[in-house]
């Protein structure tokens, strides 16, 4: 990369290991070049993130799936869930809207959220339904719904059939 090349040349000149051309030692020109490189790097990062978001939305466009996940962060209004199968991190909101009162109680020490006798803390396993919320076409996003643990009035019922218990073989 050009930025690495510039740094190595400046380092070589500063320790006296190489000679340089005058433009490389002009601090104004180097500063402008660095600003341009930083701008392009930032735009490349934005493009990469937008590409990942687009392909994630295309993948889940007409797909509803239930997956196992883990709580990565606990906030007053949401849980940050990691879904290892897809390498996906998304928010599970604990209330319908920002103005709505959540049925969960937030505990800063821990941190954790609690509703009735169910307490969710960091690294707890959960089962979530993943789908695309496309009610606003210009602001589509992933929507997570809690399947397990079952919280009365909040969790959604599982759409996958529970595996039937194995029968003992008769000999």
């Amino acid at each position: 990369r050009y930025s690495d090349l510039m740094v190595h040349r400046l380092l070589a000149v500063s320790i006296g290991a190489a000679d340089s051309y005058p433009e490389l030692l002009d601090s104004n020109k180097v500063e402008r070049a660095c600003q341009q490189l930083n701008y392009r790097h930032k735009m490349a990062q934005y493009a990469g993130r937008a590409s990942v978001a687009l392909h994630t939305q295309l993948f889940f466009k007409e797909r509803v799936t239930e997956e196992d996940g883990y709580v990565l962060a606990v906030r007053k209004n949401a849980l940050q869930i990691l879904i290892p199968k897809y390498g996906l991190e998304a928010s599970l909101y604990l209330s319908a809207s920002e103005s709505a009162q959540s049925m969960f109680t937030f505990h800063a020490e821990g941190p954790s959220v609690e509703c009735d006798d169910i307490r969710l803390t960091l690294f707890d396993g959960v089962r979530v339904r993943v789908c695309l919320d496309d009610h606003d076409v210009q602001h589509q996003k992933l929507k997570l719904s809690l399947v397990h643990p079952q919280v009365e009035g909040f969790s959604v019922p599982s759409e996958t059939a529970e595996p039937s218990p194995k029968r003992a073989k008769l000999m």
Side-chain angles (χ1 to χ4, degrees):
R1 296 181 327 158
Y2 185 65
S3 57
D4 295 331
L5 182 67
M6 282 181 56
V7 168
H8 288 120
R9 285 183 180 170
L10 285 169
L11 285 172
V13 169
S14 68
I15 63 172
D19 292 331
S20 181
Y21 51 94
E23 287 82 20
L24 185 62
L25 300 176
D26 183 2
S27 63
N28 290 331
K29 287 185 181 181
V30 171
E31 184 178 346
R32 282 194 307 265
C34 288
Q35 287 174 348
Q36 182 65 14
L37 289 170
N38 288 337
Y39 173 78
R40 287 177 177 256
H41 178 72
K42 184 171 41 171
M43 292 300 113
Q45 285 182 325
Y46 288 158
R49 291 177 190 147
S51 175
V52 168
L54 172 67
H55 285 89
T56 301
Q57 288 178 4
L58 291 175
F59 182 79
F60 285 105
K61 185 172 183 157
E62 295 180 14
R63 185 176 298 179
V64 176
T65 182
E66 289 181 11
E67 298 299 334
D68 293 323
Y70 300 95
V71 177
L72 288 185
V74 179
R75 296 190 184 87
K76 288 181 182 179
N77 66 339
L79 300 172
Q80 196 69 21
I81 306 292
L82 170 68
I83 303 171
K85 180 176 180 179
Y86 301 116
L88 180 68
E89 197 176 312
S91 294
L92 170 63
Y93 293 100
L94 300 176
S95 60
S97 67
E98 288 185 30
S99 60
Q101 180 68 27
S102 174
M103 56 193 313
F104 288 87
T105 305
F106 177 73
H107 302 285
E109 64 287 338
S112 66
V113 290
E114 188 174 6
C115 181
D116 297 330
D117 60 342
I118 296 176
R119 186 180 196 105
L120 294 170
T121 62
L122 292 176
F123 308 117
D124 280 351
V126 294
R127 185 148 184 91
V128 292
R129 181 179 301 157
V130 183
C131 62
L132 187 66
D133 179 9
D134 58 358
H135 74 276
D136 183 357
V137 177
Q138 292 189 357
H139 297 100
Q140 295 180 1
K141 59 185 173 184
L142 283 183
K143 178 182 177 188
L144 299 185
S145 303
L146 186 65
V147 174
H148 184 78
Q150 187 70 32
V151 176
E152 189 67 34
F154 181 76
S155 297
V156 295
S158 178
E159 290 183 352
T160 60
E162 294 294 324
S164 59
K166 292 185 178 181
R167 295 183 186 177
K169 289 186 180 181
L170 299 175
M171 295 209 175

